[in-house]
């Protein structure tokens, strides 16, 4: 009877192991092919469970191979995203040479030197553009015919393009390109905004003059307009940030600012006009004033040629170009007869900095990716162990019999080694292909801008070696898990196997040596060390460590250790809870519940594997869902903190009158519901040393609460109370002196660094003051936790004051005597509709409001949510959690089916003792229900603990510069009820399905026969 019980497999009827295995081991000595014969026999009888074990090995290989593939894809998407969103002046390399050519040939010498310096950039250049520019702007004097009128105070910028490369980017509205005229009137192309027509003669006040007889002689220059043009796109990278869109700078008072127009010459006409021939050396000859020429060579970056594999080469190439600029600077010193006087050479680009930032982000991404995937791989291997254990348990009686008959360990394990090797080989071949498909699918689904990625891109960016090694490692781990399960079962002889079936006596290694408690201790240490980094920006700080040391793996592994330690602690409590349940139900009527708990408590090792799998899968899935919900919510909150309001407009620094007069215009903009002027500056805390500074933000307390994005944890008091106190403490015309200190809110950094508390008086030296001895007096009204928009990491705290009082103090000649224009920002609360946003942007442009920059909260939130690294991390986490949950559900179904068949004989004995069919079925289903409930409860608690402990450290931000140092408020934990309800609903359905499978198998195949045996 015991033999029948042990020799069952999924969907198989009990078999006589002595008959089945006797022909293989009938002789005194086994033949050399007997392991192969036994492997074939076991494969025929247990192929279903072996298939599930192979599925686990395949999943492990796929996930391990996904790490280099996924990291490469996300890294390249992030790289291309950084390059695409950066300004052309940041990604292109522009070499500028400021020189005074002595001869016309000087330009050719400089051009050749620049081309030689730029050779290292060749692999990463998509095209080049060059132009000459006269550094001095020349006034446009008159136009012939006189019917044409130039804009007031017009100036021209003489330019020469490399027309062969520039023409495809130009829109020729009329006429043609300028040609060399030699001794005639120079031909030019005018900007469309200048209002000139083809054929017009333009007189330019050319300030080059000769000194002859002590008189200054000005020589006007007359040019003929032969064409009218405008750039095809103002955002074309070819122009490298120069739009050539002539717009007069806004000035609120005084004379209008000059407006500059580009004027295109031919190269020879430009040289003969603005580079006069070398002055004669004879005494008394006229001295010719020479103008400085700026030679621009722009190298357009080929973004597609830059990948994560060659970032070091890009940095090296840019470094060589910047270093080679010094060779151009010494060109005049290296020639016997200098042809040009070079004053300066610059190599303008931020490409190397962008590349370094992406490398830092990828370093930050790599280890968390490996750790997350390692957790899912561990779950897959646990699934392999569970399936292998079920397979081996189905054949454990046969293994014990063979061992009792003298079979050696090699003979017993050889069939499993062969089966594991076959499964591992298949997984190693198929796994990388499926991993590529999985990586592409996840990246396309979750990472914005990656929808068009094709398999060819992956093959282009990933080397086969980076996938082959993980595939072999995953296959080896899977095969090893199968062999280890067989080895553990083969240690028992027949008698020990029978005893172990009745009551589990072997204690797991991790329980025997308290490894779960040791892991929990490591988790505590890890999170304590994480807290020492400052808590809020730990992930970013870890990523900013040196490339040599990298982020501390122990710190990044703390979440994984917490997940494993928590699951093992649940398993330690599992048999205790089963015994307690059996004791409590033993006092009630009916034996089904008591017998179910008792069986789980006695044979707990048969249930712990699936409980562990469920606990880990549910905990990780809950963590993934919480991370996904929190990611979007905290991106919105971070954008609100950085922007301060729905829209924050920074005014131009060239204003010269009180900008408070702009408030009605700002309120009248489309979609504006409320507007507030603000003044942003900083002040010296110790002007004698200029070591510490404080950020200062002046606001209108009457309207601040109506426009600001404020969270309740920014301060211990309500915002309305703080603003009411600030209004009550307005100081009027004497604000800022000793007797009228400004009432200020200070953040905790300022309070702790400067040892101040509410009611304390302190002084600051405003940055606007020309005298370092000038002091403005402040009184601490309250200490707050955070002040929106005050994220500068270089200051020693921030203060929030009444904007009118602070500006009054700055304009008081007895205190500061500064010439500020009043508020330099406007904070707006807007409707947020796309139509209003578009109309507001158009109105700002048309009315020429002096706004230098606009920061929109909703736009910034969208950028933060769509960051490739953020989206890629959450996408992989969700995919891994989904795979883990599917494996757990599949494992539950298989274990339920096998458990139903393994208890056939036990239930037959109970039926003989008088138990009814419903009672037996209730015992079977109750055991499965205990496992599901324990896994569900333990996984939920573990997921909540993991999310609460880990989410504050999972900050990935690339849109905000120097995110590691920004003083941002803490992340908040968000639980989205809809995904959670869907997830737990799927779990409940899976549990019900597993119970239905158990009931069906028990009643239709195994249990019915057992009941008939008992009735006989």
């Amino acid at each position: 009877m015991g033999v029948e019980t042990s020799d069952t497999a999924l969907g198989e009827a009990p078999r006589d192991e002595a008959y089945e295995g006797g022909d293989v081991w009938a002789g005194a000595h086994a033949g050399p092919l007997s392991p192969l014969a036994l492997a074939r026999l076991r494969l025929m009888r247990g192929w279903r469970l072996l298939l599930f074990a192979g599925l686990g090995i395949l999943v492990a290989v796929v996930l391990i191979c996904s790490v280099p593939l996924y990291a490469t894809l996300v890294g390249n998407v992030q790289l291309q995203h950084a390059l695409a969103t950066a300004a052309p002046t940041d990604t292109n390399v522009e070499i500028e040479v400021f020189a005074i050519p002595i001869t016309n040939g000087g330009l050719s010498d400089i051009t050749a030197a620049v081309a030689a310096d730029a050779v290292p950039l060749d692999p990463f250049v998509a095209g080049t553009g060059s132009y000459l520019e006269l550094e001095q702007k020349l006034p446009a004097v008159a136009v012939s015919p006189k019917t044409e009128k130039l804009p007031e105070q017009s100036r021209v910028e003489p330019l020469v393009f490399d027309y062969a490369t520039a023409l495809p980017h130009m829109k020729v509205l009329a006429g043609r390109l300028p040609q060399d005229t030699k001794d005639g009137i120079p031909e030019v192309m005018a900007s469309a905004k200048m209002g000139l027509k083809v054929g017009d003669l333009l007189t330019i006040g050319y300030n080059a003059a000769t000194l002859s007889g002590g008189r200054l002689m000005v020589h006007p220059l007359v040019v003929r307009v032969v064409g009218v043009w405008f750039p095809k796109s103002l955002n074309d990278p070819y122009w490298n940030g120069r739009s050539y869109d002539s717009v007069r700078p806004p000035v609120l008072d005084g004379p209008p600012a000059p407006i500059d127009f580009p004027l295109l010459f031919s190269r020879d006409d430009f040289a003969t006009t603005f580079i006069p021939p070398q002055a004669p050396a004879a005494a008394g000859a006229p001295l010719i004033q020479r103008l400085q020429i700026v030679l621009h060579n722009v190298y357009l970056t080929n973004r597609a040629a830059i990948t994560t594999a060659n970032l070091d080469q890009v940095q090296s190439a840019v470094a060589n170009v910047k270093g080679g600029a010094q060779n151009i600077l010494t060109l005049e010193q290296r020639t016997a007869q200098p042809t040009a006087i070079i004053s300066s050479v610059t190599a303008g680009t931020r490409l190397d900095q962008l590349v370094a930032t992406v490398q830092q982000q990828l370093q930050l991404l790599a280890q968390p990716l490996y750790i997350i995937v390692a957790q899912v791989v561990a779950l897959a291997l646990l699934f392999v162990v569970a399936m292998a254990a079920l397979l081996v348990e189905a054949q454990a009686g046969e293994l014990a019999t063979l061992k009792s008959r003298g079979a050696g360990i090699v003979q017993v394990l050889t069939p499993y080694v062969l089966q594991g090797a076959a499964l591992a080989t298949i997984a190693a071949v198929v796994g990388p292909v499926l991993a590529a498909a999985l990586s592409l699918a996840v990246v396309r689904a979750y990472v914005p801008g990656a929808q068009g990625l094709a398999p060819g891109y992956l093959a282009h960016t990933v080397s086969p070696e980076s996938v082959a090694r993980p595939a072999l490692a995953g296959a080896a781990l899977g095969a090893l898990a199968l062999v280890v399960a067989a080895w553990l079962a083969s240690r028992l002889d027949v008698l020990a196997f029978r005893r172990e079936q009745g009551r589990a006596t072997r204690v797991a290694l991790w329980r025997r040596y308290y490894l779960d408690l040791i892991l929990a201790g490591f988790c505590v240490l890890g999170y304590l060390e994480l807290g020492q980094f400052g808590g809020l920006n730990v992930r970013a700080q870890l990523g900013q460590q040196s490339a040599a040391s990298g982020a501390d793996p122990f710190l990044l592994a703390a979440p994984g250790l917490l997940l494993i330690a928590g699951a093992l602690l649940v398993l330690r409590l599992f048999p205790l809870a089963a015994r307690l349940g059996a004791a409590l139900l033993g006092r009630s009527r009916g034996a089904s519940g008591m017998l179910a708990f008792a069986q789980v408590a006695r044979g707990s090792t048969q249930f712990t594997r699936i409980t562990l799998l469920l606990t880990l899968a549910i905990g990780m899935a809950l963590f993934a869902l919480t991370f996904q919900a929190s990611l979007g919510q905290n991106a919105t909150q971070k954008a609100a903190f950085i922007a301060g309001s729905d829209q924050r407009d920074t005014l131009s620094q060239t204003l010269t009158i009180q900008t408070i007069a702009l408030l009605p215009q700002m309120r009248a903009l489309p979609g504006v519901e409320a507007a507030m002027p603000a003044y942003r500056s900083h002040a010296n805390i110790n002007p004698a040393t200029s070591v510490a500074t404080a950020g200062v933000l002046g606001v209108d307390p009457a309207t601040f609460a109506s426009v600001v994005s404020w969270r309740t944890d920014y301060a211990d008091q309500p915002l309305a109370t703080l603003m009411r106190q600030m209004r009550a403490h307005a100081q009027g015309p004497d604000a800022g002196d000793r007797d009228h200190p400004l009432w200020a809110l200070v953040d905790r950094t300022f309070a702790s660094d400067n040892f101040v508390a509410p009611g304390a008086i302190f002084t600051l030296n405003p940055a606007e003051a020309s005298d370092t001895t000038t002091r403005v007096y402040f009184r601490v009204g309250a200490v707050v936790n955070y002040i929106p928009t005050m994220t500068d990491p270089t200051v020693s705290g921030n203060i929030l004051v009444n904007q009118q009082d602070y500006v009054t103090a700055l304009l008081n000649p007895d205190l500061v005597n500064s010439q500020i224009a009043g508020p330099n920002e406007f904070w707006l609360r807007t409707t947020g509709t796309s139509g209003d946003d578009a109309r507001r942007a158009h109105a700002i442009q048309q009315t020429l409001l002096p706004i230098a920059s606009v920061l929109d909260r909703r736009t910034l939130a969208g950028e933060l949510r769509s960051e490739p690294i953020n989206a890629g991390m959450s996408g992989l986490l969700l995919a891994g959690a989904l795979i883990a949950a599917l494996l757990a559900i599949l494992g539950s179904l298989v274990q339920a089916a096998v458990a139903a068949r393994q208890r056939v004989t036990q239930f037959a004995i109970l039926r003989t003792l008088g138990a009814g069919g419903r009672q037996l079925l209730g015992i079977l289903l109750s055991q499965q229900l205990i496992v599901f409930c324990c896994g569900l409860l333990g996984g939920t608690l573990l997921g909540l603990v993991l999310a609460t402990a880990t989410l504050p450290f999972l900050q990935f931000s690339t849109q905000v510069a120097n995110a590691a140092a920004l003083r941002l408020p803490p992340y908040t934990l968000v639980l989205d009820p809809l995904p959670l309800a869907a997830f737990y609903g799927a779990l409940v359905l899976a549990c019900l399905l597993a119970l239905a499978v158990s009931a069906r198998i028990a009643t239709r195949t195994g249990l019915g026969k057992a009941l008939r045996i008992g009735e006989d």
Side-chain angles (χ1 to χ4, degrees):
M1 193 177 301
V3 174
E4 280 188 334
T5 304
S6 64
D7 194 20
T8 57
L10 181 62
E12 301 281 345
R15 301 176 186 268
D16 187 349
E17 67 170 284
Y19 175 78
E20 296 284 358
D23 55 344
V24 178
W25 301 95
H29 300 284
L33 299 180
S34 56
L36 295 177
L38 186 58
R40 180 184 62 82
L41 181 62
R42 290 177 182 168
L43 179 62
M44 295 174 59
R45 292 165 47 187
W47 65 271
R48 292 180 178 86
L49 287 175
L50 192 62
L51 181 63
F52 286 119
L55 177 63
I57 297 176
L58 179 61
V59 170
V61 172
V62 170
L63 291 174
I64 291 179
C65 292
S66 296
V67 173
L69 298 174
Y70 193 81
T72 301
L73 284 175
V74 173
N76 279 284
V77 172
Q78 177 66 36
L79 174 62
Q80 296 302 320
H81 174 77
L83 295 176
T85 55
T89 52
D90 293 338
T91 57
N92 295 336
V93 179
E94 180 175 4
I95 301 177
E96 295 179 314
V97 181
F98 296 79
I100 299 177
I102 297 176
T103 66
N104 291 348
L107 291 178
S108 300
D109 295 338
I110 297 174
T111 302
V114 170
D117 179 42
V119 169
L121 295 173
D122 288 347
F124 312 107
V125 171
T128 60
S130 64
Y131 62 97
L132 292 173
E133 177 185 18
L134 190 66
E135 187 182 28
Q136 182 181 3
K137 306 296 188 297
L138 305 179
V141 179
V143 178
S144 178
K146 298 183 180 299
T147 54
E148 301 296 335
K149 184 178 180 181
L150 290 173
E152 189 176 359
Q153 291 194 359
S154 298
R155 299 189 306 184
V156 296
E157 298 178 280
L159 296 169
V160 176
F161 287 160
D162 179 5
Y163 296 108
T165 59
L167 187 59
H169 306 273
M170 299 171 58
K171 182 185 296 184
V172 180
L173 302 177
R176 56 174 173 80
L177 294 175
Q179 298 177 357
D180 298 328
T181 59
K182 300 189 184 303
D183 298 329
I185 298 177
E187 296 183 350
V188 298
M189 287 191 78
S191 168
K193 296 280 182 86
M194 202 170 183
L196 301 180
K197 301 188 300 295
V198 174
D200 288 344
L201 296 178
L202 175 65
T203 302
I204 301 173
Y206 183 21
N207 289 332
T210 60
L211 289 175
S212 177
R215 292 187 304 161
L216 177 64
M217 302 177 61
V218 178
H219 302 282
L221 174 65
V222 178
V223 296
R224 185 187 306 277
V225 177
V226 297
V228 180
W229 79 286
F230 201 70
K232 288 184 178 179
S233 173
L234 296 179
N235 300 320
D236 191 341
Y238 178 84
W239 305 115
N240 201 38
R242 293 193 59 169
S243 67
Y244 301 98
D245 186 9
S246 302
V247 177
R248 188 187 303 276
V251 176
L252 295 183
D253 65 344
I259 182 170
D260 299 328
F261 297 96
L263 202 63
L264 308 187
F265 286 75
S266 68
R267 186 178 180 91
D268 286 348
D269 279 353
F270 182 91
T272 56
T273 302
F274 301 111
I275 306 177
Q278 187 170 4
L287 300 178
I288 300 178
Q289 179 186 359
R290 300 182 183 276
L291 302 180
Q292 182 161 259
I293 307 297
V294 185
L295 176 64
H296 301 262
N297 278 67
V298 180
Y299 296 88
L300 307 175
T301 300
N302 182 9
R303 298 200 300 263
I306 301 178
T307 65
T308 55
N310 57 21
L311 295 184
D312 290 335
Q313 301 174 23
V314 175
Q315 286 183 293
S316 177
V318 174
N320 290 335
V321 170
K322 289 183 176 181
Q326 299 303 316
N327 295 330
I328 303 176
L329 188 60
T330 60
L331 177 65
E332 58 178 297
Q333 303 173 3
R334 292 183 285 110
T335 56
Q337 296 181 349
T339 57
I341 301 175
I342 302 174
S343 60
S344 65
V345 180
T346 61
T349 185
R350 289 189 62 249
L351 182 61
D352 51 344
Q353 301 176 29
L354 289 173
V355 166
T357 300
V358 172
Q359 282 184 314
Q360 184 184 90
Q361 294 165 358
L362 296 183
Q363 181 183 356
L364 175 64
L365 172 69
Q367 286 181 321
L369 274 179
Y370 275 98
I371 290 171
I372 288 175
V373 173
Q375 297 174 13
V376 185
V377 169
L379 290 176
L381 295 178
L382 180 61
F383 177 82
V384 174
V385 171
M387 296 300 101
L390 291 176
L391 174 65
V392 173
E393 285 175 2
Q395 302 171 357
E398 176 185 320
L399 295 178
T401 302
L402 293 176
K403 187 174 181 181
S404 299
R405 293 182 180 180
I409 188 66
V410 176
Q411 293 171 316
V412 172
L413 293 182
T414 298
Y416 294 102
V417 172
L418 294 176
Q419 292 172 354
L423 294 175
T425 301
I426 296 174
V429 174
V430 180
V433 179
L434 296 180
L438 175 65
S439 300
L440 281 172
V442 175
V443 169
R444 288 172 178 171
Y446 288 98
V447 179
Q451 289 75 14
L453 288 182
Y457 180 81
L458 188 60
H460 171 68
T461 56
V462 179
S463 62
E465 294 80 7
S466 63
V467 181
R469 294 178 181 176
L472 294 177
L477 287 175
L480 182 63
L482 180 63
V483 174
V484 168
W487 174 73
L488 292 175
S490 65
R491 294 184 300 170
L492 302 177
D493 54 19
V494 174
L495 183 58
F497 170 71
R498 302 301 182 207
R499 286 199 305 265
E500 194 67 25
Q501 275 196 318
R503 181 186 296 272
T505 59
R506 293 182 297 171
V507 180
L509 179 66
W510 60 270
R511 290 187 60 187
R512 189 161 60 245
Y513 292 102
Y514 300 99
L515 296 182
D516 52 344
L517 300 179
I518 294 176
L519 281 178
F522 275 115
C523 292
V524 173
L525 292 177
Y527 280 100
L528 286 177
E529 191 171 350
L530 283 172
Q532 291 178 359
F533 278 83
L536 296 180
N537 301 294
V538 173
R539 290 288 184 179
Q541 291 178 13
L542 291 176
Q544 289 182 349
Q545 294 180 8
S546 64
S549 60
D552 189 347
F554 173 66
L555 297 180
L556 293 178
L561 294 178
L562 178 61
L563 184 67
I564 298 174
L568 293 180
L569 287 174
V570 170
L571 292 189
R572 180 174 289 275
L573 298 176
F574 178 67
L576 299 178
R579 295 191 191 101
L580 179 61
L584 293 176
L585 292 177
R587 301 177 182 179
S588 61
R589 299 181 60 184
S592 298
M594 185 272 293
L595 290 174
F597 274 98
Q599 177 66 28
V600 171
R602 286 197 306 267
S604 58
T605 54
Q606 302 175 14
F607 303 96
T608 53
R609 286 186 299 268
I610 196 64
T611 305
L612 178 62
L613 188 62
L614 279 171
T615 301
L616 291 174
I618 293 173
M620 188 171 181
L622 182 60
F623 170 74
L625 293 175
T626 307
F627 176 79
Q628 180 75 3
S630 301
L631 183 67
Q633 179 65 23
N634 285 286
T636 301
Q637 293 179 352
K638 180 187 291 186
F641 183 82
I642 295 171
S645 60
D646 291 342
Q647 180 175 312
R648 177 156 57 96
D649 298 340
T650 302
L651 302 183
S652 172
Q653 299 297 322
T654 62
L655 304 180
T656 59
I657 69 167
Q658 290 290 323
T659 54
I660 194 67
L662 294 174
L663 183 57
Q665 292 179 265
M666 303 301 294
R667 288 174 174 170
L669 290 174
V672 174
E673 298 177 337
M676 180 201 71
Y679 185 79
R680 184 182 305 273
S681 183
H682 66 277
N684 297 319
I685 298 176
N686 187 355
T689 60
S690 299
V691 173
T693 59
V696 181
L697 178 63
V699 300
D700 179 9
T703 57
F704 182 65
S706 64
V707 298
V708 69
S709 299
W710 187 272
R711 248 168 51 183
T712 56
D713 60 342
Y714 290 174
D716 298 332
Q717 302 180 53
L719 178 62
T721 301
L722 296 175
M723 292 298 102
R724 185 168 56 250
Q725 295 176 10
M726 183 176 289
R727 290 198 305 271
H729 289 85
Q731 300 301 311
D734 297 324
D737 63 15
R738 185 185 299 272
D739 298 326
H740 300 84
L742 302 182
W743 195 88
L745 299 176
V746 304
D747 63 12
R748 295 199 178 277
T749 302
F750 185 92
S752 61
D753 290 354
N754 298 280
F755 307 102
V756 296
I761 302 293
F762 64 93
T763 61
L764 295 176
N765 173 239
E768 295 82 357
S770 57
D771 187 357
T772 58
T773 62
T774 301
R775 311 296 288 179
V776 175
Y777 287 80
F778 299 84
R779 182 189 302 275
V780 179
V783 178
V784 298
N785 300 319
Y786 302 96
I787 300 176
T789 73
M790 308 300 281
T791 59
D792 186 358
T794 63
V795 300
S796 182
N798 303 282
I799 66 172
L800 185 72
V801 297
N802 187 318
Q803 179 261 143
Q804 184 175 356
D805 279 356
Y806 192 65
V807 171
T808 299
L810 295 180
L811 294 175
N812 188 340
D814 295 334
L815 295 178
V816 178
N817 194 23
S818 65
Q819 299 297 321
I820 68 167
N824 53 18
E825 291 182 355
F826 280 95
W827 293 25
L828 311 178
R829 188 182 77 238
T830 63
T831 59
T833 62
S834 57
D836 286 344
D837 291 345
R839 286 189 293 271
R840 184 167 59 255
H842 179 72
I844 290 175
Q845 183 178 12
Q846 291 299 317
T847 57
L848 294 180
L849 286 173
I851 296 176
S853 63
V854 175
L855 183 59
D856 186 83
R857 174 182 62 83
R858 299 177 181 89
T859 301
L860 180 59
E863 292 174 353
L864 293 175
R865 284 193 297 267
S866 62
E867 285 178 338
I869 284 184
N870 263 337
M873 188 63 131
S874 61
L876 181 63
L877 191 61
L878 285 175
L882 177 62
I883 293 173
L886 291 177
L887 288 179
I889 292 173
L890 181 61
S892 301
L893 293 174
V894 174
Q895 193 269 347
V898 173
R901 298 199 56 80
Q902 287 183 336
R903 280 152 182 74
V904 168
T905 306
Q906 297 174 3
F907 290 159
I909 296 174
L910 291 175
R911 185 68 180 94
T912 304
L913 295 176
R918 291 180 177 272
Q919 292 177 312
L920 299 180
L921 186 58
I923 294 173
L924 176 65
L925 299 183
S926 297
Q927 292 173 352
Q928 300 299 320
L929 195 58
I930 292 170
V931 172
F932 294 144
C933 290
C934 289
L936 184 64
L937 179 61
T940 300
L941 293 176
L942 182 59
L944 292 177
V945 171
L946 183 63
T948 305
T950 305
L951 278 179
F953 305 117
L954 287 177
Q955 296 192 37
F956 293 89
S957 181
T958 59
Q959 292 293 332
V960 183
N962 197 17
L966 295 181
R967 294 189 175 100
L968 299 175
Y971 272 27
T972 57
L973 190 65
V974 179
L975 296 175
D976 193 342
L978 292 180
L980 288 177
F983 173 70
Y984 280 101
L987 283 179
V988 171
L989 290 178
C991 293
L992 293 177
L993 179 60
L995 294 176
V997 169
S998 300
R1000 178 181 178 86
I1001 293 178
T1003 55
R1004 294 197 177 187
T1005 57
L1007 189 54
K1009 295 180 181 179
L1011 293 178
R1012 286 195 296 273
I1013 293 174
E1015 291 171 353
D1016 294 339

